[in-house]
Amino acid sequence: MSDTNNIINRLEATGYMTKASYTHEQLLDELKGFEKASLQEVYRASYSDCLRTYDLISHFRDMASQYALCDTEVYGRLIWSLQHLSKEISSLVNGARGERCMRRSLGWLTCEHEILLNVELEYEGERCEYDAIVLTPSGIDIVESKYLGHDAVIDKDGFLRSQIKSRDRFYNVGEKMRAKEHVLFKVIENAHPGAIPRSCIRSILLATNNNTRIEDNFNLIDVCNCGKICPLIENRKGPFLKGDYRAAIISAIEEARQVFLYEPAIDFDQLRSDMADFIVMVERASARSVSIEECSIEAEEPGGILSGAMRREPISEIVNDAISIALYAIGGGAICYGMSKLIHKLS
């Protein structure tokens, strides 16, 4: 039988999700590494690369139902954490997929341009991530890639909502893009005062999944798909940014570029502990169930605890049969006697 501490030690020994913070690039690899280590710990020899966190959730639910563990605190906390882990991985995977599609689409630009990818900037405590900053002679475009698995809408207040679950709000895309414009402008302005007007910076939300549609009811940022992004940038009319201006701006951005560290949204020490505790609880419950079944089988076998009763059973059956025959005989004799008296009177 497994020991809780041994399970925790094996999960920690993988090195995944053991630090307090990670860069954006590190986080997805760490989460997927933890997912794989957890699946291998639970499935052992039956592990397959196609298994994911939702398979682990389904397996734990089956075990909790089978062994009456659904109401335990450990189980509830474990499932909550695993659901958040699955969502976090899915979000980061879709984000990486969207960025790949964005880079591919921006590679089709025919106008003079420079592209900065995965930029992190900060100004007066405001931290912003930029999927892409595109500089052309007509201005600067901030491109935010978004890969959604379903149709969405940006409401009049700037919130990006799912059209499947109308109450769900992903985030306020209007507020987010305004913050990105502000931080980028201040970084450039501080390095080169008066180099560009504020209107030179524009935001574009790029829907990278061509099978879905984003309806824009906000109308304060540009929304397009991969096929439209290049014409949108190429056909822009605005202040003319010469090559040396763009080079100076790029230099300012690169000098201000930072590397942010992000704390995981899940307490992975607690998750490791809960997973280990639940595995041990299931194994103990399974062992008790097997023990009860073995006692039941032993009781039914000759020589078991019910063997004496089974040996006495034939005696009881013989007595019952004898009594039945005697009663039958007595009843038959009484009937014959009554019939003979009736015939005698009639004659």
Side-chain angles (χ1 to χ4, degrees):
M1 184 174 293
S2 300
D3 177 77
T4 300
N5 289 331
N6 288 338
I7 296 173
I8 294 174
N9 290 337
R10 285 196 296 269
L11 290 173
E12 287 181 340
T14 64
Y16 292 114
M17 301 310 300
T18 56
K19 298 179 181 178
S21 57
Y22 298 90
T23 66
H24 188 271
E25 288 73 20
Q26 293 171 336
L27 196 53
L28 178 57
D29 290 338
E30 289 286 323
L31 290 173
K32 294 187 75 172
F34 180 87
E35 177 186 55
K36 182 177 180 179
S38 301
L39 289 164
Q40 289 175 331
E41 178 65 37
V42 172
Y43 286 93
R44 303 289 177 85
S46 59
Y47 168 78
S48 169
D49 285 336
C50 65
L51 291 170
R52 295 293 181 266
T53 301
Y54 48 77
D55 296 303
L56 196 58
I57 293 172
S58 178
H59 176 71
F60 283 160
R61 280 176 173 164
D62 290 342
M63 294 299 99
S65 177
Q66 181 176 348
Y67 297 113
L69 301 173
C70 293
D71 294 332
T72 61
E73 183 179 349
V74 167
Y75 169 74
R77 195 166 53 230
L78 174 61
I79 293 300
W80 183 91
S81 297
L82 289 175
Q83 287 174 335
H84 279 69
L85 173 62
S86 182
K87 290 179 181 178
E88 189 76 9
I89 292 174
S90 178
S91 176
L92 290 173
V93 167
N94 284 337
R97 183 181 298 164
E99 289 176 11
R100 288 195 300 270
C101 294
M102 176 196 68
R103 288 194 294 268
R104 176 173 173 266
S105 299
L106 291 176
W108 301 331
L109 283 170
T110 58
C111 65
E112 187 178 344
H113 68 277
E114 290 83 27
I115 302 175
L116 300 176
L117 299 172
N118 299 321
V119 177
E120 294 173 327
L121 299 174
E122 181 176 2
Y123 178 76
E124 294 185 345
E126 186 79 53
R127 298 170 60 175
C128 293
E129 302 172 49
Y130 300 81
D131 293 337
I133 299 173
V134 183
L135 295 90
T136 68
S138 298
I140 303 172
D141 289 307
I142 299 170
V143 182
E144 172 90 352
S145 66
K146 181 60 63 177
Y147 188 97
L148 299 175
H150 47 74
D151 291 347
V153 59
I154 305 174
D155 65 23
K156 60 182 179 63
D157 295 320
F159 281 97
L160 181 64
R161 296 175 177 270
S162 165
Q163 287 194 338
I164 297 176
K165 300 178 181 178
S166 58
R167 294 184 179 181
D168 287 357
R169 289 182 173 186
F170 297 128
Y171 61 91
N172 192 315
V173 67
E175 178 184 14
K176 183 176 182 179
M177 300 312 293
R178 174 64 72 171
K180 291 188 178 189
E181 292 175 4
H182 173 74
V183 169
L184 180 58
F185 176 74
K186 286 299 183 180
V187 166
I188 298 171
E189 181 72 11
N190 284 348
H192 304 285
I196 61 170
R198 177 65 178 78
S199 59
C200 185
I201 300 176
R202 177 179 67 170
S203 293
I204 301 174
L205 181 65
L206 175 62
T208 55
N209 185 355
N210 289 326
N211 295 319
T212 60
R213 187 176 68 90
I214 298 178
E215 179 183 344
D216 180 22
N217 294 328
F218 186 54
N219 297 318
L220 293 178
I221 59 174
D222 287 285
V223 180
C224 68
N225 57 25
C226 291
K228 190 179 177 182
I229 182 70
C230 288
L232 182 63
I233 293 175
E234 292 166 348
N235 296 331
R236 180 181 181 183
K237 306 297 182 183
F240 189 80
L241 291 180
K242 296 181 180 179
D244 54 348
Y245 268 63
R246 296 198 304 274
I249 291 171
I250 290 173
S251 177
I253 294 172
E254 292 291 358
E255 288 180 6
R257 186 194 284 259
Q258 298 189 24
V259 177
F260 297 149
L261 293 177
Y262 301 88
E263 295 182 3
I266 304 167
D267 184 344
F268 281 90
D269 288 336
Q270 184 68 60
L271 177 52
R272 272 184 286 266
S273 177
D274 289 339
M275 191 179 303
D277 286 340
F278 186 75
I279 291 172
V280 171
M281 288 166 62
V282 168
E283 290 182 349
R284 289 175 179 172
S286 176
R288 287 194 298 269
S289 177
V290 170
S291 178
I292 292 171
E293 289 178 3
E294 289 176 348
C295 290
S296 176
I297 293 172
E298 181 181 351
E300 295 174 2
E301 291 176 347
I305 60 175
L306 295 180
S307 60
M310 293 175 68
R311 287 195 297 270
R312 288 193 296 273
E313 185 177 351
I315 298 176
S316 299
E317 290 182 355
I318 292 171
V319 172
N320 288 334
D321 292 344
I323 293 172
S324 298
I325 292 171
L327 290 173
Y328 178 78
I330 294 170
I335 291 172
C336 291
Y337 176 77
M339 289 294 292
S340 64
K341 295 294 286 182
L342 179 60
I343 293 171
H344 179 72
K345 285 183 179 182
L346 292 173
S347 61

